[in-house]
Amino acid sequence: MAILEVRNLHKSFGSNHVLKGIDFDLEEGKVLSVIGSSGSGKTTLLRCITSLEKADSGKITVNGNYVFDSENEHKLTKEEIRKNRLAVGLVFQSFNLFPQYTVLKNVTLACELQAKKRDEWRKNKKQILEEINSNAKDILAKVGLSEKLDSYPCQLSGGQQQRVSIARALAMNPDILFFDEPTSALDPELTGEILKVIKSLAAEKMTMVIVTHEMAFARDVSDHIIFMDGGVIVEQGDPEQVINNPQNERTKHFLNRFKENS
C-alpha cells in the first residue's frame, strides 16, 4: 500500500489553472523527486499536499488517512484534519527560522506546542520537555550541529540554517518529509552539505518528496522521478528512464536546456 496517494488534484489561482489533474503514488521508504521548469506547478503541488494551499478538487491521503478530500471534506473533524496534517513535514527554501531563538529552541518549539495539547502535559511536563530536548539534540547531532545548540540563526551559515530547518521538520516525526528546492537559497559551495544530509536520510529509508533543480542529485538519490510541465505530469519513472533516457519530447527539451545552462 502506498504511503502517499494523490488523485485528480486540481488547483487554480483565479484564471490560472496551475494543477490539472495530478495523479501519483509513493511507497513508504522511497524518495520521489519532482522536476520541471519554473511555473510548471511543482511547488504548488507540494504546498497542496502539505496543506499550505488548499486544492480545489481531488484527494490526498497519507497512510490511508485523508489530508484533503473535496468530496468528503465535511466528514472530517478539525482534530482529524490537524492530526493527518502532522503526518507530513516540510523544509522550506528560505529556512524560516525564528531569529530570537537558539538552534535547539527552533527545533523543540513546535514539539512543545503539540505536547501542551496532550492530556498528560500538566502531570508530566518536566519529563516530556526532557524527552523533547533529548530527541532534538539527537537529531541535531545527525545533521552535524551538536556544537551549535546555543547559537542563534544569525550566527550560522546558510547551510547550517538549512540543516536546522531539516532537524526541526524531523523532530515532529513525520511519515513523509517534503523539501521545496532545499538548496536554492544557498551558495554553490554550501549545497553539498545539504545534499549529503538528504542522502543520509534516504539511506535510512526516510520517505521523501523533493522539489529540486539539481538534476544530478535527483538522479542519484531518487527511486522515482516526476517531470511536470504546464500543470500536468508529462513523464515519470525511475531515474534511469526519466533523466538518462526520457521518452517525451518536452522532457528531452527540459533536460537539454538544463545541460546547456549547467
Side-chain angles (χ1 to χ4, degrees), residues 125-141:
K125 177 180 177 180
K126 183 177 179 180
Q127 180 182 346
I128 293 171
L129 287 175
E130 287 176 351
E131 292 173 354
I132 289 173
N133 276 272
S134 176
N135 182 55
K137 289 176 181 178
D138 288 344
I139 294 171
L140 284 164

Side-chain angles (χ1 to χ4, degrees), residues 2 5-6 17 23 32 36 65 75 78 81 102 109 133 146-147 154 162 179 203 259:
E5 298 180 31
V6 177
H17 195 176
D23 285 280
L32 166 68
N65 298 314
K75 297 180 181 179
K78 289 184 179 180
I81 292 172
T102 64
L109 184 60
N133 276 272
S146 290
E147 298 179 356
C154 64
Q162 188 63 295
F179 293 86
K259 292 174 183 177

Side-chain angles (χ1 to χ4, degrees), residues 51-98:
S51 302
L52 290 179
E53 296 284 354
K54 185 176 181 179
D56 298 326
S57 62
K59 296 180 182 180
I60 303 167
T61 63
V62 176
N63 274 330
N65 298 314
Y66 285 111
V67 174
F68 174 76
D69 180 2
S70 57
E71 295 180 0
N72 298 297
E73 192 174 11
H74 62 282
K75 297 180 181 179
L76 298 175
T77 66
K78 289 184 179 180
E79 177 59 24
E80 286 174 327
I81 292 172
R82 185 193 68 81
K83 184 178 179 181
N84 293 346
R85 287 174 177 174
L86 287 175
V88 301
L90 176 61
V91 178
F92 298 90
Q93 295 181 30
S94 54
F95 321 142
N96 287 5
L97 302 178
F98 294 103

Side-chain angles (χ1 to χ4, degrees), residues 123-247:
K123 293 182 180 180
N124 301 309
K125 177 180 177 180
K126 183 177 179 180
Q127 180 182 346
I128 293 171
L129 287 175
E130 287 176 351
E131 292 173 354
I132 289 173
N133 276 272
S134 176
N135 182 55
K137 289 176 181 178
D138 288 344
I139 294 171
L140 284 164
K142 181 186 292 188
V143 299
L145 292 174
S146 290
E147 298 179 356
K148 299 292 184 179
L149 302 182
D150 298 320
S151 298
Y152 289 85
C154 64
Q155 299 171 312
L156 305 178
S157 69
Q160 289 170 332
Q161 290 186 59
Q162 188 63 295
R163 281 186 277 160
V164 175
S165 67
I166 293 172
R168 178 179 57 187
L170 288 171
M172 297 298 292
N173 195 32
D175 293 320
I176 309 172
L177 189 56
F178 293 81
F179 293 86
D180 184 12
E181 297 279 12
T183 62
S184 65
L186 301 177
D187 294 332
E189 62 266 25
L190 298 177
T191 295
E193 64 186 71
I194 300 305
L195 301 184
K196 182 179 178 180
V197 170
I198 297 174
K199 283 184 177 180
S200 71
L201 294 174
E204 296 174 4
K205 298 299 181 182
M206 179 76 199
T207 309
M208 293 184 283
V209 177
I210 307 168
V211 170
T212 183
H213 62 276
E214 299 279 349
M215 295 301 110
F217 172 70
R219 180 194 62 212
D220 294 343
V221 78
S222 304
D223 298 291
H224 196 79
I225 293 179
I226 284 174
F227 168 65
M228 290 185 64
D229 188 47
V232 299
I233 294 176
V234 173
E235 187 166 356
Q236 61 178 310
D238 61 46
E240 175 63 29
Q241 174 192 328
V242 177
I243 300 294
N244 294 337
N245 189 31
Q247 301 301 302

